[in-house]
Amino acid sequence: MITKFNILNKPINDLSGFDSKWIKAFARENDLELVESINDLSTDKAIFDFQNNKLFLHMLLDGESSSIHFDLDEGSVAYRAKSVSKSNELIARAIGCKSHYRPRVLDATAGMGRDSFIMAKLGCDVLMQERCEPIYLLLENALIRLFENQPELKKSLHLQKSNSIESFEQLEMIDVIYLDPMFPIRKKSALVKKEMRLFKKLAGEDLDADSLLTHALTANVKRVVVKRPKGAPLLKALKPSHEINSKNFRFDVYLA
Ligand SMILES: C[S@@+](CC[C@H](N)C(=O)[O-])C[C@H]1O[C@@H](n2cnc3c(N)ncnc32)[C@H](O)[C@@H]1O
């Protein structure tokens, strides 16, 4: 279990895109201890590191140094986002997009921000909430880089560091709550991608996912959508209004 989060201090002329003064301010703001070397990782200690404006988090995985960072403007999600449309994205059906209507969505389990990004590309306004501090920081950095290249998304993607269960009661101007809690990794863990294993070391297992759904269903919204891996049990064993199935996952849709 990782309990200590540090950040690598950089010399003034380092090419990371940030200087030592900036990193010290970032460390103060986010309660991170400064370290001078990346080599003192331990099972309970992870180290943040800026490289060319990207924020990485170094951790030990199976005794070896590994790192995680989030990208929305590169890789598979960026490719998918290029051709996003209401007809080719199941998530559009799940959240209730219509020809001339785009819901305002609360993504209550923001994670790497991929689903939020796709919903924003569909034209939705998305409020993202993430409770896990290191995941929040990695996502915040991915959004900063995304907005540099796609500034038009700034007005539709908003990130908050919070436990979403606490916000459901006071929700205003939100049509849909979207939930995608962590699901326990199955036995064949060697097959699970390294990125997912690192992510899971930070987020844990979201053992309160049932309660997330029951609280969401009391909110003043038109629908609650839950993304689940194929074959996963229903949250809280609650039957949805309908399901939308794909090869690897399904959406359970609860209409108000
Ligand atoms: C499976 S990930 C979500 C992945 C995301 N849909 C994406 O596209 O990248 C689940 C995330 O939800 C966060 N989470 C779980 N329960 C939460 C809560 N009550 N409030 C805020 N964040 C929560 C976890 O910390 C984790 O980062």
Side-chain angles (χ1 to χ4, degrees):
M1 172 87 185
I2 296 172
T3 50
K4 291 181 209 148
F5 291 93
N6 299 355
I7 184 160
L8 186 65
N9 199 6
K10 297 270 186 179
I12 297 283
N13 291 321
D14 187 276
L15 296 175
S16 63
F18 295 97
D19 63 15
S20 181
K21 200 168 148 203
W22 192 93
I23 287 181
K24 280 180 183 145
F26 184 87
R28 246 193 332 273
E29 214 173 283
N30 297 294
D31 221 4
L32 304 167
E33 199 180 307
L34 290 162
V35 291
E36 301 303 323
S37 157
I38 214 77
N39 296 328
D40 62 344
L41 288 172
S42 58
T43 44
D44 66 340
K45 181 155 111 188
I47 301 178
F48 283 105
D49 178 21
F50 278 105
Q51 295 173 18
N52 298 324
N53 294 358
K54 265 188 199 174
L55 183 62
F56 288 78
L57 183 62
H58 301 278
M59 289 180 269
L60 285 184
L61 188 71
D62 301 332
E64 285 183 18
S65 169
S66 301
S67 72
I68 187 172
H69 72 279
F70 298 171
D71 269 322
L72 294 167
D73 212 27
E74 290 172 24
S76 58
V77 71
Y79 181 76
R80 180 178 153 205
K82 279 196 181 122
S83 55
V84 89
S85 79
K86 188 171 78 59
S87 50
N88 68 12
E89 283 292 343
L90 283 186
I91 198 171
R93 257 174 67 201
I95 61 176
C97 292
K98 303 264 173 352
S99 322
H100 300 291
Y101 167 74
R102 293 292 183 268
R104 295 160 298 187
V105 182
L106 167 64
D107 182 348
T109 53
M112 298 187 193
R114 292 174 179 175
D115 290 329
S116 284
F117 176 42
I118 295 298
M119 291 189 277
K121 292 295 276 187
L122 281 164
C124 302
D125 278 338
V126 185
L127 173 60
M128 315 161 78
Q129 292 182 334
E130 175 54 54
R131 67 178 168 185
C132 175
E133 179 93 25
I135 292 176
Y136 169 87
L137 290 177
L138 293 168
L139 178 55
E140 182 187 51
N141 175 258
L143 286 173
I144 290 170
R145 287 181 283 114
L146 175 71
F147 296 154
E148 273 164 17
N149 292 331
Q150 301 188 51
E152 70 284 1
L153 289 176
K154 230 176 173 169
K155 62 175 180 8
S156 37
L157 278 170
H158 303 277
L159 176 63
Q160 287 176 350
K161 180 166 40 185
S162 58
N163 183 344
S164 51
I165 290 188
E166 289 159 13
S167 70
F168 293 151
E169 248 179 56
Q170 311 97 320
L171 279 190
E172 278 174 23
M173 317 270 283
I174 293 287
D175 302 305
V176 176
I177 296 177
Y178 180 82
L179 306 174
D180 174 21
M182 298 294 286
F183 187 71
I185 287 180
R186 276 161 274 169
K187 281 192 190 113
K188 290 185 207 157
S189 59
L191 298 179
V192 178
K193 273 170 63 189
K194 194 162 132 188
E195 182 190 50
M196 207 53 224
R197 290 180 62 206
L198 290 168
F199 183 81
K200 200 143 189 245
K201 267 173 91 85
L202 300 172
E205 293 210 332
D206 289 347
L207 297 173
D208 55 352
D210 279 350
S211 147
L212 192 60
L213 175 62
T214 45
H215 280 81
L217 290 173
T218 65
N220 180 24
V221 293
K222 294 179 183 148
R223 67 172 71 193
V224 176
V225 176
V226 183
K227 184 179 180 186
R228 300 294 278 159
K230 191 179 177 174
L234 293 167
L235 285 187
K236 194 74 186 167
L238 277 177
K239 206 170 167 322
S241 311
H242 62 272
E243 282 178 16
I244 298 173
N245 287 286
S246 80
K247 198 166 141 233
N248 298 319
F249 60 86
R250 66 167 202 274
F251 293 109
D252 297 331
V253 180
Y254 299 83
L255 298 174

